[in-house]
C-alpha cells in the first residue's frame, strides 16, 4: 500500500474494512496528509447501503461508529475531494 500511495493516486480498496488502521498507517507513511478525503461505500446497491465521507485521520473511528466492518469499498485520495472543482488538481 505504501508504494502504491507514493504515486499520489486515488486508491480503491475492496473488502479491507477491518484493516483501516493499517491503511491509514501506510498512506501516512507514504506522505499523505491526515485530511486526505476518504469515502466508504458499505453494501453498495443493497437496501441498507451507507455512504460515509471521512478523512484518513477519522477513517477508523467513522467506520466503527457506522458499524462498517465488511462489504465496504474504501476510496481514498484527492480525486474524491468534495471541493475538487474549486481546486487546481491535475490528473497524471
Amino acid at each position: 500500500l505504501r508504494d502504491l500511495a507514493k504515486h499520489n493516486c486515488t486508491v480503491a480498496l475492496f473488502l479491507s474494512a477491518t484493516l483501516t488502521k493499517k491503511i491509514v498507517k501506510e498512506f501516512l507513511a507514504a506522505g499523505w496528509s491526515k485530511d486526505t478525503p476518504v469515502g466508504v461505500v458499505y453494501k453498495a446497491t443493497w437496501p441498507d447501503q451507507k455512504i460515509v465521507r471521512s478523512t484518513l485521520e477519522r477513517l477508523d473511528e467513522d467506520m466503527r461508529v457506522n458499524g462498517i466492518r465488511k462489504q465496504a469499498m474504501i476510496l481514498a485520495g484527492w480525486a474524491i475531494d468534495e471541493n475538487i472543482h474549486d481546486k487546481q488538481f491535475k490528473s497524471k
Side-chain angles (χ1 to χ4, degrees):
L1 286 176
R2 186 178 307 186
D3 289 341
L4 182 63
K6 285 180 182 178
H7 293 279
N8 200 29
C9 55
T10 297
V11 177
L13 303 165
F14 187 62
L15 296 177
S16 301
T18 59
L19 301 174
T20 53
K21 285 185 170 93
K22 180 177 181 169
I23 292 166
V24 170
K25 177 183 170 190
E26 293 296 311
F27 286 5
L28 292 176
W32 287 30
S33 169
K34 289 181 180 181
D35 64 349
T36 298
V38 178
V40 180
V41 181
Y42 173 68
K43 292 189 173 182
T45 74
W46 295 25
D48 54 344
Q49 171 182 298
K50 281 187 191 179
I51 298 174
V52 176
R53 286 194 171 272
S54 187
T55 63
L56 280 181
E57 183 174 39
R58 296 190 339 253
L59 178 61
D60 194 62
E61 177 65 13
D62 286 344
M63 289 185 66
R64 187 190 64 75
V65 166
N66 283 282
I68 301 172
R69 286 292 172 224
K70 58 183 178 178
Q71 293 134 340
M73 171 66 76
I74 300 170
L75 304 168
W78 61 269
I80 61 166
D81 187 317
E82 287 183 278
N83 300 306
I84 193 170
H85 299 293
D86 300 329
K87 299 185 179 179
Q88 297 299 315
F89 291 131
K90 292 189 177 191
S91 175
K92 291 183 181 178

